[in-house]
Amino acid sequence: MGNNERRVALVTGASRGIGRAIAKRLASDGHHVVLVARDQSRLDEVLSEIEADGGVGESRACDLGDPASLEAMMESVLSDRGRLDVLVNNAGINRDGLILRMSDEDFDEVLAVNLRATFITCRAVARSMMRGRWGRIINISSVTGLVGNPGQANYAAAKAGMVGMTKTLAKELGSKGITANVVAPGFIETDMTEAMSSEILAEAAKRLPLRRLGRPEEIAHAVAYLASEDAGYVTGQVLTVDGGMVC
Ligand code: NAI
């Protein structure tokens, strides 16, 4: 596949963890990947790994919590590349606390990065995808958004919000050849879960039907499918990749 024919895929939170695995996978599937996160040097490390494997892409440092910089970054990518075919909203944060102790700031920050940023990027790509009559929107939610989790009222609200938004986009954009789906990971081994104690993680793994935590690459496989031509008749769905936690 020549450079001009490569589909362009933007992945947020691509500097580490699940986003890094998604970006590497989409690059190895032949996409030009646009890597987005806050830390330019970490993004450039991931880009070097991609290029070493024969992939192509670019990196864009941006704080997704800041709507003006996010919109400017999206506009600049669209004008430089001419289009975006695949959008993966993966960046996410948590600020956990039981409801009685959760501050307004912790609520707002989690909603801003997980949910509002997803809204802004989806709105930004919609026109370009409609023009091309092809698009794949894949939003990374969480099983917490489906079943709740004590200490995560803000995170669960944001992740459930992503599900409602994605189903709506599936209905609004389907007639233009654009699909919108959610991947909802369970416990995946990344920096986010490393913050939890190893006993809690071991205990959680023991209760799962598959008896282990997931790997970032296992989320990337699901995203690669939803981004592919083969998934053209799949839209408005939530694919849980969670070792059987929610079933
Ligand atoms: P991580 O904490 O390892 O990486 C998060 C990524 O988001 C990083 O690249 C970080 O730079 C980026 N990011 C965070 N805030 C940002 C901001 N304001 N502006 C720009 N970039 C920002 O997280 P992990 O574990 O890789 O998770 C990825 C996604 O998967 C998140 O949405 C998370 O909620 C979700 N998820 C993760 C699970 C897990 O067990 N690790 C379980 C369920 C969902």
Side-chain angles (χ1 to χ4, degrees):
M1 195 185 254
N3 259 357
N4 294 335
E5 297 149 44
R6 281 180 196 274
R7 289 215 157 109
V8 183
L10 184 143
V11 182
T12 69
S15 62
R16 60 178 198 232
I18 294 172
R20 170 176 170 271
I22 293 170
K24 292 182 79 164
R25 173 61 194 266
L26 291 179
S28 76
D29 287 350
H31 297 79
H32 172 105
V33 284
V34 182
L35 314 175
V36 178
R38 271 167 309 188
D39 186 335
Q40 184 72 52
S41 62
R42 289 185 76 159
L43 283 176
D44 286 339
E45 278 170 35
V46 177
L47 186 58
S48 308
E49 292 169 19
I50 285 172
E51 288 170 347
D53 291 340
V56 292
E58 64 191 78
S59 60
R60 305 269 180 153
C62 178
D63 180 358
L64 300 183
D66 173 4
S69 355
L70 179 53
E71 282 185 46
M73 185 275 296
M74 292 300 292
E75 255 176 51
S76 132
V77 170
L78 282 163
S79 95
D80 291 354
R81 303 245 52 93
R83 61 177 218 275
L84 268 171
D85 306 296
V86 179
L87 170 66
V88 185
N89 282 299
N90 160 80
I93 56 165
N94 53 356
R95 297 282 181 270
D96 297 353
L98 295 170
I99 189 81
L100 293 178
R101 289 202 211 112
M102 187 175 284
S103 68
D104 290 4
E105 290 73 29
D106 286 347
F107 184 84
D108 289 345
E109 205 186 337
V110 167
L111 270 282
V113 175
N114 294 278
L115 188 58
R116 186 181 60 197
T118 297
F119 162 67
I120 290 173
T121 57
C122 289
R123 186 178 57 188
V125 299
R127 184 164 290 116
S128 148
M129 287 182 177
M130 284 162 85
R131 214 182 297 124
R133 299 196 76 79
W134 197 94
R136 298 281 190 263
I137 295 172
I138 300 148
N139 293 328
I140 309 302
S141 174
S142 165
V143 288
T144 292
L146 308 178
V147 297
N149 194 27
Q152 295 198 305
N154 49 2
Y155 184 78
K159 294 302 194 184
M162 290 174 87
V163 173
M165 190 191 300
T166 308
K167 286 174 182 275
T168 299
L169 297 181
K171 291 180 175 168
E172 285 188 18
L173 303 174
S175 66
K176 301 288 192 281
I178 301 165
T179 67
N181 292 287
V182 164
V183 174
F187 281 112
I188 310 298
E189 285 172 324
T190 68
D191 290 355
M192 190 179 265
T193 41
E194 215 160 76
M196 298 165 72
S197 85
S198 51
E199 292 83 58
I200 290 181
L201 287 175
E203 203 42 53
K206 250 195 273 168
R207 285 199 300 270
L208 295 174
L210 291 178
R211 302 284 193 279
R212 65 173 178 86
L213 304 185
R215 288 178 288 107
E217 291 72 22
E218 292 176 306
I219 304 303
H221 296 325
V223 172
Y225 166 64
L226 291 171
S228 74
E229 207 60 58
D230 289 348
Y233 203 54
V234 178
T235 195
Q237 299 305 303
V238 178
L239 176 52
T240 54
V241 183
D242 65 352
M245 189 194 301
V246 178
C247 68

